[in-house]
Amino acid sequence: MTGRMIKNLIEVRQGDSFAVVVHLLQNGTDVDLSDSIGRMQVRKIDGTLVWALEAAVISAAEGKILFEITPELSGIEAGDYQCDIQIEMPDNSVNTIFPSNVNQTGIFRITKQITKEN
């Protein structure tokens, strides 16, 4: 599983797998994500949807979810895309957790691969 997630950037090499693990805390305490839905979207800079994922739950009580980036998802053209991750809570409130800074846009970067089948 190759890639990295820092501040407002998720970076993956083209065609690679990457597990984006989110551990949601509030004031140092796990946020219970039972009955919540985690969503991630990647869009071109013009706003066109490239793909969307729903999170798998690792441990709802501990606030841990997973977005599994597959080679098919990361196999898009190398470059920068817009991205965010939101959590919809049971009370229907929606919280954008990535990027955490409301004044930044999340970047999903695909870097070029060298090894290819052809």
Side-chain angles (χ1 to χ4, degrees), residues 2-5 8-18 20 40-45 50-51 53 67-70 72-85 98-99 105-111:
T2 55
R4 66 183 180 146
M5 182 175 179
N8 71 318
L9 173 70
I10 297 173
E11 189 172 55
V12 182
R13 190 174 312 276
Q14 190 178 45
D16 280 5
S17 300
F18 182 53
V20 177
M40 176 181 188
Q41 290 188 349
V42 171
R43 293 180 176 270
K44 293 181 180 179
I45 300 305
V50 177
W51 50 259
L53 279 179
F67 295 95
E68 190 170 345
I69 311 299
T70 63
E72 293 76 25
L73 295 175
S74 69
I76 58 179
E77 184 177 341
D80 286 354
Y81 298 82
Q82 295 178 340
C83 176
D84 71 6
I85 296 174
F98 174 84
T105 300
I107 307 274
F108 188 86
R109 178 172 294 148
I110 299 291
T111 61

Side-chain angles (χ1 to χ4, degrees), residues 5-6 12 21 25 35 40 43 48 50 54 56 61-62 66 70 75 79 88 90-91 98 105 110:
M5 182 175 179
I6 54 171
V12 182
V21 177
L25 299 167
D35 300 319
M40 176 181 188
R43 293 180 176 270
T48 304
V50 177
E54 196 167 295
E62 295 177 323
L66 162 73
T70 63
E88 183 179 332
D91 65 1
F98 174 84
T105 300
I110 299 291

Side-chain angles (χ1 to χ4, degrees), residues 33 35-39 86-95:
L33 295 177
D35 300 319
S36 298
I37 301 169
R39 292 187 177 94
Q86 294 184 330
I87 304 292
E88 183 179 332
M89 302 301 283
D91 65 1
N92 293 321
S93 64
V94 176
N95 301 284

Side-chain angles (χ1 to χ4, degrees), residues 22-25 30-34 58-65:
V22 176
H23 182 190
L24 200 56
L25 299 167
D30 296 330
V31 174
D32 186 350
L33 295 177
S34 298
I58 296 173
S59 174
E62 295 177 323
K64 295 180 183 178
I65 58 174

